Amino acid sequence: MVARRTVVMVDDLRSFVDGRSAQVARTSAAGVALLDRYRGGRLDELWLDHDLGGDDTIWPVIEVLEQAAFAERPFDIGVIKVHSANPCGAAKIAQVLRHWGYHVHVASGSWDVGYLEHPP
């Protein structure tokens, strides 16, 4: 029996190109709500984009992760993959989350994610 991996992606336009199973949030508010469902649970992978359309960014999600770590109750996440095409934003996300002890991999340009043909 193969264990199912728990994968969450917060990105307004991209999805996994291989069709892997993942829960996807398209806004920061939806990302916060989705992340809250895993408080006290395990996430194998959390994929983050920086710019989420319009004035929306990933920072509300980052703040939830920071606050949990500050309270000495960090989320149990195997790896956080930052796949943003915004290099400055990706670097800042990685810096902040590493400071709080999260395992972060900057995966900008990853072939794992691609743009949707028909954005929501």
Side-chain angles (χ1 to χ4, degrees), residues 32-83:
V32 167
L34 188 53
L35 196 57
D36 278 342
R37 293 195 326 203
Y38 287 96
R39 195 175 298 273
R42 167 77 175 175
L43 271 177
D44 294 301
E45 298 176 14
L46 175 60
W47 289 70
L48 302 176
D49 184 21
H50 182 276
D51 302 305
L52 299 175
D55 293 334
D56 195 14
T57 68
I58 199 65
W59 289 105
V61 174
I62 302 303
E63 289 173 8
V64 168
L65 294 166
E66 281 184 293
Q67 289 170 359
F70 179 78
E72 297 183 1
R73 293 179 291 122
F75 282 83
D76 182 8
I77 303 171
V79 63
I80 298 173
K81 297 190 179 187
V82 182
H83 63 275

Side-chain angles (χ1 to χ4, degrees), residues 2 10-11 40 45 51 71 90 104:
V2 176
V10 183
D11 191 309
E45 298 176 14
D51 302 305
V104 180

